[in-house]
Amino acid sequence: MKLHTKAVHSGDRKRPQSQIPVSTPVHFAASWICADQAEQDRIFANEQKGFAYSRYANPTSEALEEQITALENGFGALACASGMVALQHALTAALLDRRRKVLCARDIYGATLKLLYDVLGPLGVETALVDTNDLAAVEKAIASEQPGILLMETISNPLLRVGDIPALAALCRKSNVALIVDNTFATPLLVRPLELGAHIVVHSATKYLGGHGDTLGGLIVSDEGHFETIRRLSRIAGPVLGPMESYLVMRGIKTFPLRMERQCQNARGLASWLREQPQVERVFYPDDPSHPDAETISRLLPDGLYGGMVSFELRGAGTPGIFSFLDRLKLCVKATSLGDVHTMVLHPWIASHRDVPPKQKERMGLRENLVRFSIGIEALDDIIADIAQALV
Ligand SMILES: *Cc1c(COP(=O)(O)O)cnc(C)c1O
């Protein structure tokens, strides 16, 4: 064989060895060789499980899908290229045989609203907003709007409201409305929405599950009723995650329960310290007995695990005051995103919620003097010391 031929053919395409590697290999293959044409035919026809083309299925991504399905107690999962494309794909699949209308929680990630209004809106999908912490309002909106989907977050961003998923799921199931829950903030350590009656769970794996700020990814976990449609549409549209990212997310998930426990513990400690600071006007953290959703929180969240996010308002600060507070922080990482091993902070007013109309910010209760911290796994004393020197 000539060098050019050897360069292309040697080393590759060996039969799997009988020893099993302790971690899942990163399968960069775009396509697979089948035993014969008949087998390839069955795999293309989706009659036989197997690999033919990475847009359909990839062994590294499949390992991650199995992992998150186990954590969320779902029927099956799809690994996607980002949290946003996971949301888009979940919405598309659930709307296929339902009314093209989404009833969406008012208090939700800014880009989710833009997905509904700027991407799906022009395609004919209508959106109506509702306060998902007001069950009577949701029941009324389901009757009047006749939506195909109710979309919400387990713990909302940035005001950390917690919706009553079991009660909302019951309302949805009475009217053939698919309940889709973005579980990014809560993670399956705190809440598993499918166990509570939701149909589909979506994650930005970029956050707690990946956990190291090095990977963009999204995950959809669904019940049996939606799984076939999610997979079938994915084989065509291909919103899938690459094998390297699937490996990184899978690796992240192995330590995520330990990181999350520490992040919850740190966040709780920080919230209690913040409540004692005169410069702090109001602290948002779900362990607060006077939290508007305290009753739901006591039912849904495990004791002591209230999430790794803490938001608070700086007394009397406008945007310039917030800017100088943030500029004084040294340890806390001033960047968008959350759920990483390091503590991060952002100003929702100009970042995550920049494009939310002022009226809607007011209705959500989002004020200009609010900062949102994602607490990391550092020593709590060091996080507090950094915030203390910046509060002055
Ligand atoms: C970040 C985030 C998303 C979007 O995920 P990407 O991975 O950035 O596409 C969706 N929902 C929530 C709650 C998020 O925090």
Side-chain angles (χ1 to χ4, degrees), residues 82-85 87 109 112 153 157 182 184-185 204-207 216-217 338:
S82 69
M84 289 318 299
V85 87
L87 267 171
Y109 185 59
T112 301
E153 293 168 359
N157 174 22
D182 182 335
T184 301
F185 272 42
S204 168
T206 315
K207 315 292 169 55
L216 204 67
L338 60 106

Side-chain angles (χ1 to χ4, degrees), residues 333-375:
V333 176
K334 288 157 275 187
T336 191
S337 198
L338 60 106
D340 290 342
V341 285
H342 43 259
T343 297
M344 304 182 83
V345 57
L346 68 73
H347 184 200
W349 193 263
I350 64 135
S352 57
H353 289 67
R354 191 182 185 99
D355 296 323
V356 177
K359 254 231 163 68
Q360 199 183 322
K361 281 187 190 140
E362 196 183 314
R363 252 190 256 156
M364 285 169 64
L366 175 63
R367 295 168 66 198
E368 194 176 348
N369 63 344
L370 186 90
V371 285
R372 187 201 79 183
F373 277 77
S374 163
I375 311 306

